[in-house]
Amino acid sequence: MIQYDRVSKIFGTGSDAVTAVDEVVLDIEQGHLVTLLGPSGCGKTTLLRLTNRLIAMSSGTIKINGQDIMFLDPVKLRQTMGYAIQEIGLFPNKSIYENIAVVPRLLGWEKGRIRERVDELLRMLRLEPKTFRDRYPVELSGGQQQRIGVARCLAADPEILLMDEPFGAIDPINREEIQDEFLGLHERLKKTILFVTHDIHEAIKMGDRIAIFQDGRLIQYDSPGQILTRPANRYIEDFVGTDRALKLLGLLRAEEAMDGSPVNIVEGSTSTGEALRFLEDKDYLNLIVIHQGKPMGYLYSKLLKDKNTEVKNVADPYPVLIRCNDTLRDVMSQMLLHNVHLLPVVDENGDLAGSINYQDIRKYIQGIYADNAERE
Amino acid sequence: MKLIDFILNNSDQCLFLTWEHIRIVAFAVFLATIIAVPLGILITRNEGIAKKVLNAANILMTIPSIALFGLMLPVLALIGHGLGKVPAVIALVLYSQLPIIRNTYVGIKNVPPELVEAGKGVGMSSLTRLKEVEIPLAVPVIIAGLRTAAVMNIGITAIAAYIGAGGLGVFIQQGIARAYDEMVMAGAILVALLAIFVDAGMALIERILTPRGIKIGRKQGR
Ligand SMILES: Nc1ncnc2c1ncn2[C@@H]1O[C@H](COP(=O)(O)OP(=O)(O)O)[C@@H](O)[C@H]1O
Ligand SMILES: [Mg+2]
């Protein structure tokens, strides 16, 4: 838990004074990953540097687990926090191994344990230990260097991580992978993480919560969903973009919007005649055919007319199945790709959990925005 | 070649004087290093003092060596060392201060700020940072300062023969007194050769002590 109470930092004096951080009040919950978002110069880096006392506050207090950091030894304090600086800053005179090993060595870990840890981190960041261990920073690309910077920050397994645009120099393909890997790691280890970014997509994807800054002030501190549906002011509206409803789709899961108890279902062993009557009686557009609880295809009247067999023999297979935790963005994309308006949703066993169509999605999103409008 | 004859006929003395010359310079550079390198590091922590120290070293450098020997004579005479190797070594140590302090200072100051920040950020103490980051990165520049000092000292030591310090300057001084051209030439050439060798030797040391990661970077032209 990190608590910022009216923290300010003013650089310079008199007419040259710049208020880089302005009366920030912010609580970072234990185990949360909080993304600090805002344009260049809004004070994100300064807030991190205040947290590990690389610079001194002008006013306010920062507490870590209830302890005022001003009463802690700065060198010890920094050893308990991983710090990945924006400029990467690998030591050029040290090999990759030595760079990552710095903090464990300062903490007096045994050689064997350090060695294992370094290899583990290299593998996690998609760098083959054998190839990279003994290289020097100049022999690596910018993106590779940045990954070493992240490894160095994680090395001693600190409870708190301060990461300043840690994936900024990594190419888009590797970045997605490393973001996913990092999220998985966070899921398992539940570190308290301050993650600076100026990329709204990254902030939404990574953050349990997002803190948005403008000119040193904290403007909004909320969950990604809240930021997208209830931007606090015009500035944030502009920042999250006019496509914020689409971004919201990327956050929501199929199971939230789906119809959990669809009624247009028939067993595979049903006869075509019976199915056709069911379809026409209820005026359904199509039917989902299930076999042993699993969706196996769909039916519409043309498929059923003038047939005399079990429906499983005539059903069209679904081009794709939606899983419960697929994002609505992926669902929409699949619907557009395959030109279907209804898809079955399956759970992790492949059993039918519900169905989803455009209407479900539209209604769900509308509901979210309406909820918020009501509360205002 | 009368010059070569002179050197061959007096090879014992040539070797002795060369060795004496080397000993004076080596001892002086050693003393200068253990004073000037820590001083150069110390002043990186305080800009105001740094200016004053560098200015003082600069002024020392502008005093002609003969004048410095003269100035020290009455003082050192009090402890019975007005002439000889003691004033010579003291003068060399003083002259060496500027190149060594300045290069140490510049070398450490030129360590990129993000590396200092990273060092602090991962929890290195000031001393650890110096040992693991700042000094290794400054080593090539510091050694370049030592190299300048050593080569310069070889020349000044030649003059110190006039206050009885010994070394190859003895040939020059006595050769002039006796109008013995070959002797003067032998002294001058041996001093020049010594300077060239020491310069090359220091260049080699600089290469050896430069951290590997930096050397690779240089090769790649980064
Ligand atoms: N050491 C410093 N001295 C003076 N001004 C600084 C210093 N560091 C940052 N600033 C100023 O503080 C403001 C915030 O900077 P920073 O925290 O680096 O922003 P961000 O990381 O969000 O891009 C900027 O206006 C910057 O110029
Ligand atoms: Mg920044």
Side-chain angles (χ1 to χ4, degrees):
Chain A
M1 174 104 171
I2 311 175
Q3 293 165 294
Y4 298 84
D5 188 17
R6 309 233 318 265
V7 171
S8 295
K9 175 67 191 181
I10 300 163
F11 286 110
T13 51
S15 56
D16 296 333
V18 177
T19 306
V21 171
D22 193 359
E23 298 272 313
V24 166
V25 178
L26 177 64
D27 283 358
I28 313 285
E29 294 290 335
Q30 184 87 38
H32 270 195
L33 192 164
V34 173
T35 48
L36 309 182
L37 179 65
S40 178
C42 71
K44 308 179 296 288
T45 297
T46 304
L47 195 70
L48 291 196
R49 297 175 72 218
L50 287 171
T51 311
N52 64 4
R53 290 189 58 186
L54 284 171
I55 47 175
M57 278 172 278
S58 304
S59 63
T61 50
I62 302 177
K63 285 184 182 166
I64 292 177
N65 298 327
Q67 276 244 330
D68 188 333
I69 61 166
M70 294 317 283
F71 295 121
L72 300 171
D73 174 56
V75 169
K76 292 231 173 66
L77 176 76
R78 290 174 204 143
Q79 288 175 359
T80 63
M81 297 181 182
Y83 182 38
I85 73 172
Q86 190 170 2
E87 298 85 356
I88 306 174
L90 299 184
F91 305 121
N93 55 317
K94 292 181 185 292
S95 68
I96 297 310
Y97 174 85
E98 292 166 330
N99 264 284
I100 300 175
V102 161
V103 189
R105 206 165 40 74
L106 290 174
L107 294 175
W109 286 23
E110 272 173 37
K111 269 224 171 73
R113 185 171 165 214
I114 296 180
R115 198 159 187 91
E116 269 171 38
R117 179 68 179 151
V118 169
D119 285 2
E120 178 191 5
L121 286 165
L122 282 173
R123 272 192 295 271
M124 194 191 95
L125 289 155
R126 307 234 178 286
L127 297 167
E128 174 54 41
K130 263 221 292 293
T131 319
F132 285 96
R133 216 188 274 133
D134 298 321
R135 289 205 188 165
Y136 284 87
V138 282
E139 300 174 283
L140 268 55
S141 74
Q144 290 168 337
Q145 288 187 23
Q146 192 160 44
R147 281 181 260 171
I148 304 303
V150 171
R152 180 173 68 183
C153 148
L154 295 171
D157 207 19
E159 278 313 304
I160 295 174
L161 302 175
L162 310 176
M163 311 182 82
D164 203 343
E165 309 201 12
F167 304 144
I170 300 172
D171 59 281
I173 297 168
N174 275 311
R175 190 187 313 155
E176 283 282 336
E177 267 188 31
I178 286 170
Q179 284 172 343
D180 293 337
E181 186 78 23
F182 191 77
L183 275 178
L185 185 84
H186 174 57
E187 204 61 44
R188 272 181 284 135
L189 301 180
K190 287 290 173 206
K191 306 272 183 205
T192 306
I193 305 171
L194 283 174
F195 187 109
V196 169
T197 177
H198 59 245
D199 174 2
I200 173 82
H201 289 283
E202 191 171 57
I204 292 172
K205 177 173 178 185
M206 304 298 287
D208 295 313
R209 308 193 91 194
I210 302 178
I212 303 185
F213 290 84
Q214 177 185 21
D215 299 333
R217 272 169 301 121
L218 175 62
I219 306 291
Q220 188 169 7
Y221 181 41
D222 256 322
S223 66
Q226 286 290 310
I227 299 267
L228 288 174
T229 54
R230 296 185 73 196
N233 61 18
R234 263 309 287 274
Y235 169 77
I236 294 178
E237 255 174 50
D238 290 346
F239 205 83
V240 296
T242 44
D243 63 342
R244 55 185 180 277
L246 289 182
K247 290 187 178 113
L248 187 61
L249 289 180
L251 277 183
L252 303 172
R253 307 286 158 181
E255 61 188 340
E256 301 173 57
M258 71 184 182
D259 175 357
S261 43
V263 286
N264 54 332
I265 295 178
V266 289
E267 277 291 336
S269 55
T270 317
S271 75
T272 46
E274 197 178 329
L276 187 61
R277 243 172 292 131
F278 181 50
L279 189 81
E280 286 175 345
D281 275 3
K282 304 276 184 178
D283 207 16
Y284 292 141
L285 274 176
N286 52 37
L287 297 174
I288 302 171
V289 180
I290 58 171
H291 181 62
Q292 291 172 349
K294 296 178 172 41
M296 55 166 302
Y298 62 104
L299 298 164
Y300 42 94
S301 59
K302 220 160 76 193
L303 284 180
L304 293 166
K305 282 208 173 111
D306 309 321
K307 300 266 168 53
N308 189 7
T309 173
E310 293 186 353
V311 292
K312 67 175 178 228
N313 299 325
V314 294
D316 261 357
Y318 282 108
V320 61
L321 299 177
I322 302 298
R323 281 157 307 174
C324 282
N325 61 354
D326 283 348
T327 65
L328 291 184
R329 204 173 127 206
D330 292 342
V331 176
M332 288 287 269
S333 173
Q334 297 287 14
M335 286 176 173
L336 292 169
L337 271 178
H338 300 290
N339 194 24
V340 290
H341 81 284
L342 183 138
L343 285 167
V345 182
V346 295
D347 62 18
E348 58 270 27
N349 301 321
D351 291 343
L352 186 74
S355 69
I356 191 161
N357 62 19
Y358 281 128
Q359 293 303 321
D360 296 327
I361 295 176
R362 197 182 56 76
K363 264 194 244 149
Y364 188 65
I365 298 286
Q366 230 171 23
I368 289 175
Y369 280 105
D371 272 3
N372 289 324
E374 242 163 58
R375 263 184 274 163
E376 267 161 31
Chain B
M1 281 298 282
K2 283 192 203 158
L3 175 61
I4 293 178
D5 286 344
F6 176 86
I7 293 177
L8 290 177
N9 293 336
N10 298 281
S11 60
D12 277 359
Q13 208 189 354
C14 285
L15 279 178
F16 175 80
L17 290 179
T18 304
W19 177 234
E20 192 173 38
H21 207 105
I22 290 173
R23 265 168 41 216
I24 294 169
V25 170
F27 185 58
V29 171
F30 169 74
L31 274 186
T33 303
I34 58 178
I35 297 168
V37 170
L39 199 58
I41 293 171
L42 220 59
I43 61 173
T44 56
R45 310 292 164 177
N46 187 320
E47 289 298 325
I49 295 178
K51 260 220 176 81
K52 287 192 190 113
V53 170
L54 287 172
N55 270 336
N58 233 326
I59 291 169
L60 270 178
M61 192 80 159
T62 59
I63 306 174
S65 49
I66 287 288
L68 187 60
F69 294 141
L71 285 173
M72 287 191 302
L73 199 139
V75 184
L76 292 174
L78 296 176
I79 53 165
H81 284 290
L83 295 171
K85 290 197 170 57
V86 173
V89 168
I90 293 178
L92 296 183
V93 169
L94 290 177
Y95 284 127
S96 303
Q97 295 303 302
L98 183 67
I100 305 179
I101 293 179
R102 188 187 49 206
N103 277 40
T104 306
Y105 175 78
V106 169
I108 300 235
K109 274 282 168 187
N110 279 355
V111 170
E114 71 267 19
L115 296 184
V116 177
E117 173 97 351
K120 282 186 198 165
V122 298
M124 288 184 182
S125 66
S126 182
L127 218 61
T128 313
R129 219 166 60 234
L130 212 52
K131 196 178 89 196
E132 297 205 7
V133 183
E134 294 169 339
I135 292 180
L137 292 182
V139 148
V141 188
I142 295 175
I143 307 266
L146 297 183
R147 184 173 161 189
T148 308
V151 171
M152 184 181 75
N153 282 356
I154 289 171
I156 297 171
T157 302
I159 298 169
Y162 281 94
I163 56 165
L168 289 166
V170 170
F171 276 158
I172 299 172
Q173 178 217 350
Q174 290 186 4
I176 290 172
R178 290 196 241 154
Y180 188 172
D181 285 359
E182 283 73 27
M183 196 181 214
V184 176
M185 291 278 284
I189 284 178
L190 288 174
V191 167
L193 281 178
L194 185 59
I196 291 169
F197 272 117
V198 167
D199 191 52
M202 293 295 280
L204 188 69
I205 293 176
E206 186 185 328
R207 269 234 303 286
I208 293 169
L209 290 185
T210 300
R212 222 180 122 224
I214 308 279
K215 270 189 275 192
I216 296 170
R218 279 190 197 155
K219 246 186 251 158
Q220 297 176 346
R222 288 202 214 166

